[in-house]
Amino acid sequence: MSEPRRLDGKVAIITGAARGQGEAEARLFAAHGASVVLTDILAEQGQAVAADIGEAACFVLHDVASEADWARVVETAINTFGAVDILVNNAAISRPLKLEHTDLATYQQIVGVNQVGVFLGMRAVLEPMKRAGGGAIINVGSVAALQGTSTLFAYTASKWAVRGMTRSAALELARYNIRVNQINPGVIDTPINHANPDRMNQVLVQTTPMRRMGQPSEIAEAALFLASDAASFATGADFTIDGGMSI
């Protein structure tokens, strides 16, 4: 017997979907019956992923720190697929910098994508989800949102902020049947971590009890659960998938 499709008839927006976790989420959501709007600043890669998924997907070039871009993404979702039921705020950037080496421009750039982008996304989908009678928002945080770090100052600050926004939004939007949850990945085998110095990744793996990087598919499975009716009573929660790093 084939596995039931858990997102039949749903429409999802997934940011940062040209590769890594976002790509894995887009492919898995589509396999479970969702129509998917993939967004990213990597146009060629994003278009290729959407084309490979097929008619259930489209790609939009999208700077998540742009309010105008968010309006265009939501408009595309509604005009193409008729609704917005799910938002996965996956897009993020990182720089392996300590406080003393972080200049203001770098800090603002990271916060702009990782924090402001999440704020703008949640606000942009609010009215369509209210009209639809509910929805699911999944904010991708990090194990860095659960503890301090000595080499990712701005990234850590932004992910702690996302955690606070997730909980506040969950309280505010519950009356509209809009669920807001957060996934906190540990070190995952994705381009954002491939850009780290080798020694840094070695230390991250060594401090993970399972002694390996996670795979994008493992995060996508958690996102699928939170997007589906199987998580209908879950909101404001942290779902940490880090191989035991934060224990």
Side-chain angles (χ1 to χ4, degrees), residues 12-26 36-50 58-66 69-70 72-74 76 87-93 113-114 190-192:
I13 295 171
I14 303 176
T15 68
R19 59 185 187 177
Q21 290 174 189
E23 177 185 353
E25 290 155 0
V36 186
V37 179
L38 298 80
T39 88
D40 211 301
I41 60 170
L42 302 173
E44 186 174 346
Q45 289 172 263
Q47 289 166 353
V49 173
C58 69
F59 174 78
V60 180
L61 186 65
H62 179 205
D63 173 3
V64 295
S66 166
D69 275 15
W70 269 110
R72 186 163 48 84
V73 167
V74 171
T76 299
L87 169 64
V88 183
N89 275 314
N90 172 77
I93 58 173
V113 173
N114 298 3
T190 61
I192 197 170

Side-chain angles (χ1 to χ4, degrees), residues 159-228:
K159 293 300 186 177
W160 273 91
V162 170
R163 194 175 179 209
M165 290 194 297
T166 297
R167 294 188 176 201
S168 294
L171 287 171
E172 177 184 347
L173 304 184
R175 61 180 171 159
Y176 302 121
N177 195 34
I178 299 173
R179 299 181 293 104
V180 190
N181 292 291
Q182 179 159 329
I183 296 173
N184 295 313
V187 57
I188 307 298
D189 189 11
T190 61
I192 197 170
N193 284 318
H194 298 166
N196 292 336
D198 288 343
R199 177 57 184 161
M200 181 177 176
N201 282 335
Q202 289 170 8
V203 171
L204 289 171
V205 170
Q206 289 167 3
T207 56
T208 299
M210 293 185 73
R211 294 294 191 273
R212 67 174 177 87
M213 286 188 171
Q215 293 302 308
S217 60
E218 294 174 300
I219 306 304
E221 289 287 351
L224 173 64
F225 166 70
L226 292 172
S228 75

Side-chain angles (χ1 to χ4, degrees), residues 1-8 27-34 217 220-225 228 230:
M1 182 183 297
S2 61
E3 182 183 2
R5 301 206 309 175
R6 299 167 71 178
L7 299 179
D8 266 338
R27 291 184 182 279
L28 185 62
F29 281 25
H32 277 268
S217 60
E221 289 287 351
L224 173 64
F225 166 70
S228 75

Side-chain angles (χ1 to χ4, degrees), residues 52-173:
D52 192 49
I53 292 172
E55 293 183 356
C58 69
F59 174 78
V60 180
L61 186 65
H62 179 205
D63 173 3
V64 295
S66 166
E67 188 172 19
D69 275 15
W70 269 110
R72 186 163 48 84
V73 167
V74 171
E75 181 180 25
T76 299
I78 292 171
N79 289 344
T80 306
F81 299 121
V84 178
D85 303 293
I86 300 159
L87 169 64
V88 183
N89 275 314
N90 172 77
I93 58 173
S94 179
R95 301 286 185 273
L97 296 170
K98 297 181 178 183
L99 166 61
E100 63 179 324
H101 298 135
T102 302
D103 59 41
L104 179 59
T106 300
Y107 184 85
Q108 290 177 328
Q109 180 189 32
I110 292 171
V111 167
V113 173
N114 298 3
Q115 178 182 344
V116 176
V118 171
F119 154 67
L120 291 174
M122 290 195 292
R123 197 178 64 175
V125 301
L126 176 56
E127 289 304 319
M129 286 186 176
K130 286 169 64 176
R131 289 197 298 270
I137 297 172
I138 301 144
N139 295 328
V140 179
S142 169
V143 67
L146 307 176
Q147 56 195 28
T149 62
S150 61
T151 56
L152 294 166
F153 181 80
Y155 178 83
T156 300
S158 69
K159 293 300 186 177
W160 273 91
V162 170
R163 194 175 179 209
M165 290 194 297
T166 297
R167 294 188 176 201
S168 294
L171 287 171
E172 177 184 347
L173 304 184

